[in-house]
Amino acid sequence: MTPPEPRRRSASAHLAILEATWEEVVEKGYAGLTVEGIAARAGVGKQTVYRWWPSKAAVLLEALNARTAQTSDFPDTGDIAADLAGQITGVAEFLASDGGVVFKALLAGAQSDPELAEDIRRQVIEPRTQACADRLAKAQAAGELRADVDPVDIVELVYAPLYYRLILGTRPISAPDMRHQLDRVLAGLRA
Amino acid sequence: MTPPEPRRRSASAHLAILEATWEEVVEKGYAGLTVEGIAARAGVGKQTVYRWWPSKAAVLLEALNARTAQTSDFPDTGDIAADLAGQITGVAEFLASDGGVVFKALLAGAQSDPELAEDIRRQVIEPRTQACADRLAKAQAAGELRADVDPVDIVELVYAPLYYRLILGTRPISAPDMRHQLDRVLAGLRA
């Protein structure tokens, strides 16, 4: 029997690197994030980081995605307003915490890095947009929402106020505020 | 009579610097923007730039504000839907052009520069938000819109989709799309 240690050691180094990346960027910002710093905090060599990720942006993106996985499941209880309210509460709480700091850092980095911008869209935004749009399409089919609006447009209306506050910093992101804004959006979309 | 030349020369240098800043940032991005580059393109010395502005961010912010002044007047024809549609068309066209490139660059810079973030809010976002909120409050008083929603919340609902596309780059900003989104927001806000 081959001993399982190497694979186990590898998985735990992978997790340690994702955790270290998160802590480094929260502490130092995107500009202060380096592969050296990540490796040192994770207790691995730089080459171990580069074995799995080509850049600090790539590892940060995976760290973000790993943390948000559970806030992105779209439940289907048959009540679209309740399901969206639960969803937006989770995302608001995430973005009001260190998650917002990390996501803002990534978006800022993406403005001068088109490849990172594309990776964020493909790995973070699009899968969640699609999951939400699928749930919205069911609500349209069930007669809960107007069927003449592209579900992707609805996703934009529902989530845009979160990004507005995240990026402009006009007001803090709070789950109750975001649920109020959701109610107003849904009021215009009833079937 | 004192000859007016020094003041005239000064005003024209001021304008030349704002123009040069705009062109530099569109061409080179925020990271590539330097006071040296601005001064060289404007045909002035670096000290002339520093006489009026403490940093590249400060001059860029004024350059942006100068360009957007005319897209930010809030008309009052008594028809809130028409007035907002006109307004959002102007902002969408601005952000779909070089204006969006410049604004994105500033917002990215602001993520690692809290003072710049505060200046953007105070000089760009808040005056326009207030002007729009004042117009919305009149529409509420006139019975055009529900009076139980904070006008600042309505500003957020109306403009957030623009920023969503600007920052995430999910879809291009187009004036017709943005007017459709506006219609849906207003449908939920009718008195």
Side-chain angles (χ1 to χ4, degrees):
Chain A
M1 216 175 110
T2 317
E5 280 77 14
R7 180 170 297 174
R8 247 195 348 240
R9 210 161 55 221
S10 169
S12 97
H14 193 104
L15 278 176
I17 290 166
L18 293 180
E19 195 56 37
T21 302
W22 188 269
E23 288 164 5
E24 283 283 298
V25 77
V26 167
E27 202 173 298
K28 301 177 183 168
Y30 187 71
L33 183 71
T34 62
V35 170
E36 286 83 349
I38 293 169
R41 192 185 279 252
V44 301
K46 262 176 67 173
Q47 287 320 309
T48 305
V49 178
Y50 283 123
R51 194 188 314 151
W52 290 310
W53 296 279
S55 64
K56 72 173 188 179
V59 55
L60 183 56
L61 199 57
E62 185 170 334
L64 182 79
N65 244 336
R67 291 262 184 156
T68 54
Q70 69 204 74
T71 54
S72 305
D73 300 326
F74 277 82
D76 184 356
T77 67
D79 176 347
I80 188 66
D83 290 353
L84 286 174
Q87 184 62 26
I88 208 122
T89 299
V91 179
E93 285 168 356
F94 178 75
L95 292 179
S97 71
D98 287 343
V101 177
V102 173
F103 199 18
K104 259 201 321 190
L106 264 175
L107 290 172
Q111 301 312 322
S112 53
D113 181 345
E115 205 178 314
L116 174 58
E118 181 59 30
D119 286 345
I120 293 173
R121 278 193 295 275
R122 233 184 28 239
Q123 295 175 40
V124 181
I125 307 298
E126 282 168 13
R128 292 167 176 79
T129 299
Q130 197 51 55
C132 187
D134 290 347
R135 177 67 189 87
L136 288 163
K138 282 195 223 170
Q140 290 176 319
E144 283 196 287
L145 296 178
R146 283 168 58 180
D148 65 337
V149 180
D150 182 342
V152 173
D153 285 351
I154 303 180
V155 175
E156 186 172 277
L157 289 170
V158 167
Y159 284 95
L162 273 166
Y163 288 98
Y164 183 92
R165 294 194 187 190
L166 181 71
I167 297 302
L168 298 182
T170 47
R171 292 183 286 179
I173 292 174
S174 89
D177 283 7
M178 295 297 111
R179 283 197 303 267
H180 278 126
Q181 293 292 52
L182 170 66
D183 288 343
R184 291 148 187 170
V185 168
L186 291 180
L189 296 171
R190 301 268 177 226
Chain B
M1 218 175 103
T2 316
E5 280 75 13
R7 181 169 298 173
R8 253 203 334 250
R9 209 160 56 218
S10 169
S12 98
H14 194 103
L15 278 176
I17 290 166
L18 292 180
E19 195 56 38
T21 302
W22 188 270
E23 289 164 6
E24 283 283 299
V25 78
V26 167
E27 202 174 297
K28 299 176 185 170
Y30 186 71
L33 184 69
T34 61
V35 169
E36 285 82 351
I38 292 168
R41 192 183 281 251
V44 301
K46 258 176 66 174
Q47 286 320 306
T48 304
V49 178
Y50 282 122
R51 194 187 315 150
W52 290 310
W53 296 279
S55 64
K56 72 174 188 178
V59 55
L60 183 56
L61 199 57
E62 185 170 334
L64 181 80
N65 243 337
R67 291 262 182 155
T68 53
Q70 71 206 72
T71 52
S72 303
D73 300 326
F74 277 81
D76 184 357
T77 67
D79 177 347
I80 188 66
D83 290 352
L84 285 174
Q87 183 62 26
I88 208 122
T89 299
V91 178
E93 285 169 355
F94 177 75
L95 291 179
S97 72
D98 286 343
V101 177
V102 173
F103 200 19
K104 259 200 321 190
L106 264 174
L107 289 172
Q111 301 310 325
S112 53
D113 182 345
E115 206 178 314
L116 174 58
E118 181 58 30
D119 286 345
I120 294 173
R121 277 193 295 275
R122 234 184 28 239
Q123 295 176 40
V124 181
I125 307 297
E126 282 168 13
R128 292 168 175 80
T129 299
Q130 196 51 57
C132 186
D134 289 348
R135 176 68 190 87
L136 288 163
K138 282 195 223 169
Q140 290 176 318
E144 283 196 288
L145 296 178
R146 284 167 60 179
D148 65 336
V149 181
D150 181 342
V152 173
D153 285 352
I154 303 180
V155 175
E156 188 174 278
L157 289 170
V158 167
Y159 285 95
L162 273 166
Y163 288 98
Y164 182 93
R165 293 195 189 190
L166 180 70
I167 297 301
L168 298 182
T170 46
R171 293 183 285 179
I173 292 174
S174 89
D177 282 6
M178 294 296 113
R179 283 196 303 267
H180 277 127
Q181 293 291 53
L182 170 67
D183 288 344
R184 291 150 187 170
V185 168
L186 290 180
L189 296 170
R190 300 269 178 228

